[in-house]
Amino acid sequence: MRTGTLLISALITLFFACGACSTPGPAAVEPQADQYNETYRPQFHFSPDSMWMNDPNGMVYYQGEYHLFYQHHPNSTVWGPMHWGHAISTDLVHWEHLPIALYPDSLGTIFSGSAVIDWNNSSGLGSRDNPPMVAIFTHHNHALEESGSELFQYQSIAYSLDRGRSWTKYPGNPVIQNPGIRDFRDPKVSWYEKGQKWIMVLAAQDRVLFYSSPDLIHWTRESEFGADAGAHGGVWECPDLFPLELNGEEHWVLLVSINPGGPNGGSATQYFVGDFNGSVFQNANAGTEARWIDYGKDNYAGVTWSDVPSGEDRRLFLGWMSNWQYATRVPTERWRSAMTLPRELRLERDKNGFRLCSTPVEEVKELREERIKLEPGMENRRDIGPVLEGQLPLFEIDLVFAYEPVEGKSPETAVEFGIILESSLHEMVIIGFNTYSKEVFISRMQNSGKFDFSDDFIGMHTAPYLLSGEGEIRFHAFVDLASIELFVDEGALALTEICFPESGFQSISTYSSHESVKLKEGTIYRLKRVW
Ligand code: FRU
């Protein structure tokens, strides 16, 4: 399972022993004349202006704006009474912060949920000419929880008639009372066209429940799913349900976040693919191992946008780029956490069943600045990064490696290769593939930057590479000052990891433990910051 670790530590030792092999890093990042220049501040990812953030909430597109609400504690950099923070974007890349959308009230604080445009005004909360934007969320009542009751989470709604700028809570809240389930939260609502009704999927302890409604106010319980499916190492949270087409056929994808119980520890998001008839979800991947939308440690509570522009037919996803194991302790000062890049989801089918693939949205290409085309070839270690002259070390790295598959050979013949990201202080993170264990990994160890805020942070985090391979693998990675998102083979696998090097990774090199590995093609882009 961990054959790669030895090779990596040998490489690291070798590297430290010959510091001279490294390209000298550029001077530290020039401070910018604005607030987004703090150490570790993401430069092309969304992070809150200040204070605590967790899950993305209420993601909906309306009149040219992508709305992003998020779990927010405006008075502290650690989790506390939850509000919905708010930001908008016209291109999914640049974000504008707006005032807090939803505040706690007498029913409780505002936990995760979703938002929809009620185009037909089924709720009666707006009009056909000005359809309401309706947020459906969990009220969490801390006083009830402390009193020992199990009934402290219930579902409520609020609406906006001015493009999400101001909100009114529905006077008849809650719209779904707690039926006696301790963890009963995170409603995700969508319009089910075939049945002309709203569908809600809700997390309830170790499973999800489905509800339906004609008007977003009156809800009927339809069914449940999951008690005997998927991973169960922790509580189920933040589900999502949506259709995706594959070869002209419609399939339904169910996302379920789970904490703890992720493949590399702590929080992660699993998915199921199957059929949904307006009432019941049937899992077509039944009997297989849990599948994860991302195998890295830092992509949690992700869900998809409602009401994306018609005709585009894209399913757009965003996750919270952290892990409950250490989210409240990461070494940032004015704010905590960032979101992943927005991603487009796609279904594929392989010998193991359905696979949910994700790639960054097209719009991310807007960030490309300098383009460096690489010469094919390979040495044990080869510096491939651009020389930075005061620019921020923000990169998109797109490499295709060719290797000899090792079917049936012994572990000693294992070959390991990949990408080393390194800072001017010799902090490093390694992205790699082991041809024997058939695992892709991100190695985030003691030398990756700050790590001692949690025992659960460092490690070699792996993902099973189930594809046939054919001796070629593509690594497409986005490197911000404090995160790495890796998409393997057009997003068939994703690994997202945060990390805390002092001032980003200024140098990039390829490495290989065997000369048979070749860099077949490669491009690196320097990226622009968005703030
Ligand atoms: C997931 C979660 C949700 C909950 C929210 C509270 O990270 O635990 O289940 O609604 O965070 O902030």
Side-chain angles (χ1 to χ4, degrees):
M1 196 61 185
R2 293 279 182 269
T3 35
T5 328
L6 281 178
L7 284 163
I8 283 185
S9 45
L11 230 143
I12 292 171
T13 320
L14 179 79
F15 185 69
F16 277 124
C18 79
C21 332
S22 66
T23 343
V29 173
E30 283 287 313
Q32 310 284 328
D34 65 60
Q35 60 183 32
Y36 268 70
N37 64 357
E38 300 105 321
T39 309
Y40 312 129
R41 181 65 105 161
Q43 297 296 307
F44 60 89
H45 288 86
F46 179 81
S47 59
D49 169 63
S50 60
M51 302 299 167
W52 171 264
M53 174 178 85
N54 56 291
D55 316 354
N57 293 153
M59 296 192 298
V60 64
Y61 177 85
Y62 188 51
Q63 295 191 349
E65 295 171 337
Y66 291 93
H67 290 263
L68 167 60
F69 301 90
Y70 52 89
Q71 288 287 278
H72 184 42
H73 184 194
N75 307 320
S76 167
T77 51
V78 295
W79 190 88
M82 284 291 108
H83 300 55
W84 274 24
H86 190 193
I88 49 167
S89 172
T90 53
D91 64 1
L92 291 166
V93 171
H94 299 88
W95 295 94
E96 182 187 335
H97 294 291
L98 293 183
I100 289 173
L102 296 176
Y103 285 83
D105 55 49
S106 60
L107 289 176
T109 60
I110 316 296
F111 270 25
S112 287
S114 49
V116 292
I117 305 303
D118 181 11
W119 294 105
N120 297 326
N121 192 31
S122 67
S123 61
L125 297 170
S127 62
R128 283 228 177 202
D129 291 342
N130 187 18
M133 181 183 284
V134 181
I136 309 97
F137 58 89
T138 300
H139 260 125
H140 179 101
N141 191 314
H142 292 270
L144 261 185
E145 182 182 17
E146 269 152 34
S147 75
S149 163
E150 297 272 280
L151 311 178
F152 53 86
Q153 294 183 340
Y154 29 80
Q155 319 317 319
S156 293
I157 65 176
Y159 61 97
S160 168
L161 301 175
D162 58 359
R163 301 180 305 133
R165 275 28 177 209
S166 66
W167 288 86
T168 308
K169 304 241 179 63
Y170 176 62
N173 279 340
V175 294
I176 303 183
Q177 289 284 4
N178 189 303
I181 304 173
R182 205 186 148 75
D183 296 290
F184 183 67
R185 57 176 178 264
D186 308 339
K188 180 74 163 71
V189 171
S190 56
W191 177 248
Y192 183 69
E193 184 62 32
K194 253 190 227 157
Q196 293 291 299
K197 58 183 179 179
W198 298 100
I199 294 293
M200 176 193 293
V201 56
L202 188 69
Q205 235 147 1
D206 62 346
R207 62 197 70 184
V208 294
L209 305 180
F210 296 101
Y211 288 78
S212 70
S213 169
D215 56 9
L216 295 165
I217 294 168
H218 303 90
W219 292 92
T220 308
R221 185 167 156 160
E222 295 282 345
S223 66
E224 66 170 58
F225 169 80
D228 53 3
H232 283 274
V235 68
W236 284 24
E237 302 184 314
C238 299
D240 194 358
L241 176 76
F242 51 87
L244 274 184
E245 265 200 14
L246 176 63
N247 303 327
E249 266 180 37
E250 182 180 83
H251 303 277
W252 286 79
V253 177
L254 174 63
L255 302 181
V256 179
S257 284
I258 174 173
N259 177 56
N264 284 295
S267 325
T269 302
Q270 58 183 325
Y271 65 86
F272 305 90
V273 184
D275 196 24
F276 182 70
N277 64 5
S279 171
V280 175
F281 176 81
Q282 227 141 23
N283 182 16
N285 270 358
T288 59
E289 276 195 14
R291 295 196 151 200
W292 307 90
I293 197 165
D294 194 311
Y295 284 81
K297 284 197 75 155
D298 299 300
N299 181 355
Y300 191 59
V303 287
T304 64
W305 257 279
S306 303
D307 297 273
V308 292
S310 55
E312 278 192 15
D313 212 19
R314 298 194 291 175
R315 185 49 64 171
L316 303 175
F317 168 97
L318 190 78
W320 173 46
M321 203 156 52
S322 200
N323 189 312
W324 280 115
Q325 284 181 330
Y326 41 73
T328 57
R329 281 174 283 155
V330 296
T332 58
E333 278 169 18
R334 216 170 71 90
W335 87 101
R336 274 228 172 78
S337 309
M339 297 300 181
T340 65
L341 282 174
R343 302 174 183 187
E344 182 173 351
L345 302 182
R346 170 183 102 244
L347 262 191
E348 280 188 7
R349 204 174 203 156
D350 58 39
K351 60 180 192 307
N352 303 299
F354 288 102
R355 174 185 286 272
L356 187 60
C357 306
S358 45
T359 47
V361 294
E362 274 293 300
E363 288 88 334
V364 169
K365 289 186 181 156
E366 283 174 30
L367 295 174
R368 290 177 178 172
E369 212 158 38
E370 187 188 356
R371 173 172 184 264
I372 300 113
K373 186 98 188 108
L374 302 173
E375 288 297 317
M378 189 81 167
E379 296 94 48
N380 283 356
R381 182 78 196 263
R382 175 172 160 209
D383 187 344
I384 56 169
V387 178
L388 298 174
E389 283 161 5
Q391 297 105 334
L392 288 164
L394 310 175
F395 300 111
E396 175 183 345
I397 305 170
D398 193 2
L399 308 181
V400 179
F401 292 98
Y403 64 95
E404 287 173 6
V406 292
E407 291 306 335
K409 293 192 191 163
S410 63
E412 295 76 56
T413 59
V415 170
E416 184 195 304
F417 59 87
I419 306 169
I420 299 177
L421 302 168
E422 198 198 346
S423 78
S424 47
L425 299 176
H426 302 305
E427 299 148 315
M428 64 168 82
V429 166
I430 301 174
I431 298 171
F433 178 58
N434 185 301
T435 58
Y436 177 74
S437 65
K438 294 202 172 53
E439 283 171 330
V440 173
F441 60 84
I442 294 187
S443 168
R444 176 178 76 178
M445 309 307 272
Q446 283 94 337
N447 63 341
S448 63
K450 273 237 174 352
F451 70 94
D452 56 1
F453 48 86
S454 161
D455 290 344
D456 295 310
F457 186 71
I458 58 169
M460 163 122 162
H461 304 134
T462 60
Y465 183 73
L466 300 171
L467 308 179
S468 55
E470 309 298 343
E472 236 178 70
I473 189 166
R474 177 174 173 209
F475 283 166
H476 191 190
F478 291 78
V479 183
D480 203 335
L481 292 190
S483 64
I484 294 160
E485 283 159 287
L486 172 68
F487 302 92
V488 181
D489 292 357
E490 328 301 328
L493 269 184
L495 283 93
T496 302
E497 301 253 319
I498 53 175
C499 49
F500 300 97
E502 188 72 19
S503 55
F505 295 115
Q506 292 89 2
S507 93
I508 309 168
S509 45
T510 52
Y511 79 97
S512 166
S513 67
H514 195 267
E515 66 207 7
S516 57
V517 178
K518 299 275 179 273
L519 177 67
K520 201 176 158 211
E521 54 189 277
T523 309
I524 295 180
Y525 300 89
R526 269 200 319 102
L527 300 182
K528 290 182 272 206
R529 72 198 294 256
V530 301
W531 301 104

